[in-house]
Amino acid sequence: MFGIQGRLTLLFVVIVTLVLGISGTYAQHSLSQELEAGSQRLRQGVLARLQTSLPSALWDLDKAKVDNIVAAEMMPPELVSIRVYDTSVGLFSGRLRREDGALVPIETDAAVGGTPVVADLAYRDSGGAGAALKPVIVGRVVVNFSRAQIEATLAAEVRRKVIEVLLLDLILVAALALSLRIVFDPLKRLRDGLVDLATRDSDEVEELPDNRHDELGEVIRGFNAIQRKVKSNIQRIREAEDEARQAALATTRALDELRLAQESLLQAERLASLGGLVAGVAHEINTPVGIALTSASVLMEATEKVHAAVAEGNIKKSDITRYLETAAESTRLIMNNAYRAAHLIHSFKQIAVDQVSEARRRFELRGYINEVVSSLQPKLKKTRITVSIACPPDLVLDSYPGALAQVLTNLTLNCVDHAFEPEEEGRIMIGVARQGDWLEMQVSDNGKGIAPDMIDKVFDPFVTTRRGQGGTGLGLNIVFNLMAKQFGGTVTVASVLGQGACFTLRMPCVTPVTPVTPATPVI
């Protein structure tokens, strides 16, 4: 435990360190500015001298003089190199400072370290007595300056300041440790007594020595006076903690049972919607299968008649013509209704398998939405509600189609059950837009909307306006949980009373593999 003594020591150390750090920072900044100013003066002086002395030597192509001037200017260690260029021959002369400090001539125009500074060399030629001086550019000089000296000086100053701060901190810590022991040693004994009192298993009371005649001695005597009462209070607290622990365990078990019951209800609701889908599809398939069976019976009866006529040898052309007409019509009816039944079975099979298996796969979104809406036709055909779909083509998701079918089914049937009165015309719109790696889907209607006192509760479990009429209040809660946990997305709702409602789903095009913690419903 980091006690008061340690905190006081740390506080003083921090204050002293902060003050010294601010002072050192200011001194470092001042030193840096001073060094930079000196470096700038050195640069200006070197360039000024070179621009004064080199042009005449370069005009006369006096390489020895140029070399002497360059060598003289290379004395300061801040200079890395000086290169003199003639306008006609290029690199005319130069000196380079090696890492060991030796100066060597520069033979080639290779890259040199340091910060380069370029200046033109102008030779002022007098055109005669009394004529104005005309500057002539005879070349240029490139001087590379090194910041190593500045950085080394600054680094040395930083090290000096750090050592100074550390020494002062050590002295301060030692002084505080010796001075605070007068106060904190008795407090430590009092602390140990309190800890022993709190952790002692027996009912015995061990008093602390109270031979001090100062304020701390009075505190210790007061502690000894109330120790027995504290001991009894600790015992009562332990008994209360045991009771609270048992109550917490019972509450945890009840919460686990409630969570299991809720998950069972949610699963039952999902399976119930699948059962309704089975019943609707079975009823829908009954009509095309019945027509196909009737057509097949008519075709079989006509075939038997023709077969009998052929066997008796009195077959007529009119019999064959009539048989062909019957066969063509029956075949047409059988094919059309068989195709219709096959389409319904295919849509139902894909949706049902997806909802049961919870398998993840890649699928084309627009076609899958059409299959989901087709599977809901047995429910929709009993109403005057139309469903329109606006989805970009070739939009492929890597996700859980069964969960998405459950979401679309719940939202669509929620609109059918709550947004419109029986026999009322209405429209449900499913719109999809891609936004980078994310998908936004809106399921909206032009119905009566959601009441303001209900819109904050639509995603809560067991909240329904059709209590006692078949509504469980789990449909939108399932939508919220699937979007948050299965897809890693969000669902929001907006509604104006009398103008319909709009549910907005946002989910990634590639569902994350790791589970997602459910978020709070957003309205």
Side-chain angles (χ1 to χ4, degrees):
M1 182 180 65
F2 200 48
I4 297 176
Q5 182 177 0
R7 289 199 294 270
L8 287 175
T9 303
L10 178 62
L11 178 62
F12 282 111
V13 169
V14 169
I15 292 175
V16 171
T17 303
L18 184 61
V19 172
L20 293 177
I22 294 174
S23 174
T25 302
Y26 177 76
Q28 189 78 0
H29 178 69
S30 300
L31 178 61
S32 176
Q33 287 185 331
E34 182 180 347
L35 293 175
E36 291 291 345
S39 177
Q40 184 66 25
R41 289 193 298 270
L42 175 64
R43 295 181 185 184
Q44 293 175 352
V46 169
L47 289 178
R49 290 192 296 272
L50 290 174
Q51 287 181 313
T52 302
S53 58
L54 282 177
S56 60
L58 194 61
W59 174 265
D60 297 332
L61 297 179
D62 189 348
K63 190 174 188 307
K65 185 177 181 180
V66 171
D67 290 341
N68 291 333
I69 294 173
V70 170
E73 293 295 338
M74 284 291 293
M75 295 301 295
E78 289 84 355
L79 272 73
V80 177
S81 70
I82 299 178
R83 289 170 290 177
V84 180
Y85 292 88
D86 182 63
T87 55
S88 58
V89 299
L91 181 62
F92 186 78
S93 177
R95 288 292 186 273
L96 173 66
R97 188 184 305 278
R98 296 189 311 192
E99 294 182 358
D100 57 1
L103 298 179
V104 295
I106 298 178
E107 302 296 340
T108 60
D109 194 6
V112 180
T115 304
V117 178
V118 182
D120 290 331
L121 300 176
Y123 176 73
R124 297 185 178 275
D125 183 21
S126 58
L133 297 177
K134 299 178 181 179
V136 178
I137 302 299
V138 295
R140 60 188 174 91
V141 62
V142 179
V143 184
N144 287 66
F145 293 91
S146 172
R147 293 182 52 84
Q149 292 293 328
I150 297 177
E151 294 173 355
T153 303
L154 293 176
E157 182 65 17
V158 169
R159 288 193 296 270
R160 189 183 68 81
K161 288 292 184 180
V162 169
I163 293 173
E164 179 182 343
V165 170
L166 291 177
L167 289 176
L168 289 176
D169 287 341
L170 288 175
I171 295 172
L172 180 62
V173 169
L176 289 174
L178 293 175
S179 60
L180 293 177
R181 286 183 59 184
I182 301 174
V183 176
F184 286 100
D185 283 350
L187 290 179
K188 288 179 181 179
R189 289 196 296 271
L190 182 61
R191 178 202 61 191
D192 295 338
L194 290 171
V195 172
D196 180 67
L197 178 63
T199 57
R200 192 185 309 151
D201 294 331
S202 64
D203 295 332
E204 298 180 359
V205 176
E206 297 182 3
E207 295 185 357
L208 298 177
D210 56 353
N211 52 359
R212 296 179 62 96
H213 301 285
D214 53 15
E215 292 83 355
L216 291 176
E218 294 178 0
V219 172
I220 293 175
R221 285 187 289 273
F223 168 75
N224 292 333
I226 65 173
Q227 189 174 185
R228 286 182 295 272
K229 186 176 181 179
V230 172
K231 183 66 177 181
S232 62
N233 290 339
I234 290 176
Q235 184 64 31
R236 288 195 296 270
I237 290 173
R238 287 177 179 174
E239 295 174 356
E241 287 178 349
D242 292 337
E243 295 176 358
R245 191 178 297 108
Q246 296 298 327
L249 291 176
T251 302
T252 302
R253 286 193 295 268
L255 182 60
D256 292 338
E257 293 174 358
L258 179 61
R259 187 179 294 109
L260 291 175
Q262 184 177 2
E263 291 178 357
S264 300
L265 286 174
L266 293 176
Q267 186 66 19
E269 178 70 14
R270 295 180 65 180
L271 294 178
S273 65
L274 184 59
L277 176 62
V278 172
V281 171
H283 177 76
E284 190 73 12
I285 291 176
N286 186 54
T287 300
V289 170
I291 295 175
L293 182 59
T294 302
S295 301
S297 299
V298 171
L299 180 60
M300 183 179 68
E301 183 180 352
T303 302
E304 290 176 351
K305 288 181 181 180
V306 172
H307 186 272
V310 171
E312 294 174 358
N314 55 357
I315 186 69
K316 299 178 182 179
K317 181 179 180 181
S318 59
D319 294 335
I320 295 176
T321 302
R322 188 164 48 254
Y323 171 74
L324 292 176
E325 292 175 353
T326 301
E329 181 65 18
S330 298
T331 303
R332 185 183 64 82
L333 291 174
I334 291 172
M335 290 297 297
N336 289 343
N337 286 277
Y339 176 78
R340 180 182 174 190
H343 177 70
L344 289 171
I345 292 173
H346 174 74
S347 297
F348 165 73
K349 178 182 177 182
Q350 186 62 63
I351 299 302
V353 169
D354 284 338
Q355 291 198 23
V356 172
S357 66
E358 293 292 345
R360 174 176 180 153
R361 63 182 176 88
R362 291 173 59 85
F363 59 95
E364 195 269 326
L365 182 59
R366 185 167 70 175
Y368 195 75
I369 295 177
N370 286 324
E371 290 184 358
V372 173
V373 174
S374 297
S375 68
L376 297 177
Q377 286 304 316
K379 178 77 173 180
L380 295 173
K381 68 183 299 183
K382 300 177 183 178
T383 67
R384 301 176 66 188
I385 300 172
T386 59
V387 179
S388 62
I389 301 172
C391 178
D394 301 327
L395 180 53
V396 178
L397 300 187
D398 184 355
S399 188
Y400 299 92
L404 182 60
Q406 183 74 52
V407 168
L408 290 174
T409 299
N410 285 13
L411 290 177
T412 304
L413 295 183
N414 182 73
C415 295
V416 172
D417 294 336
H418 298 281
F420 306 100
E421 297 293 338
E423 301 303 324
E424 180 184 359
E425 290 188 1
R427 184 182 180 190
I428 300 174
M429 292 74 72
I430 302 177
V432 180
R434 181 163 186 172
Q435 299 175 348
D437 294 333
W438 284 74
L439 182 75
E440 181 174 292
M441 181 184 302
Q442 290 187 342
V443 180
S444 58
D445 62 77
N446 60 348
K448 55 188 177 183
I450 303 174
D453 59 338
M454 286 293 297
I455 196 168
D456 293 335
K457 308 174 184 176
V458 292
F459 295 113
D460 294 342
F462 310 111
V463 174
T464 179
T465 58
R466 298 178 66 248
R467 185 77 64 191
Q469 304 176 18
T472 63
L474 294 174
L476 292 181
N477 182 255
I478 291 175
V479 170
F480 172 77
N481 281 285
L482 287 176
M483 289 302 301
K485 294 164 48 173
Q486 194 89 355
F487 297 109
T490 60
V491 54
T492 60
V493 60
S495 176
V496 177
L497 198 61
Q499 300 182 17
C502 177
F503 291 86
T504 302
L505 313 174
R506 292 195 78 251
M507 55 183 289
C509 295
V510 179
T511 300
V513 178
T514 55
V516 179
T517 302
T520 303
V522 181
I523 308 300

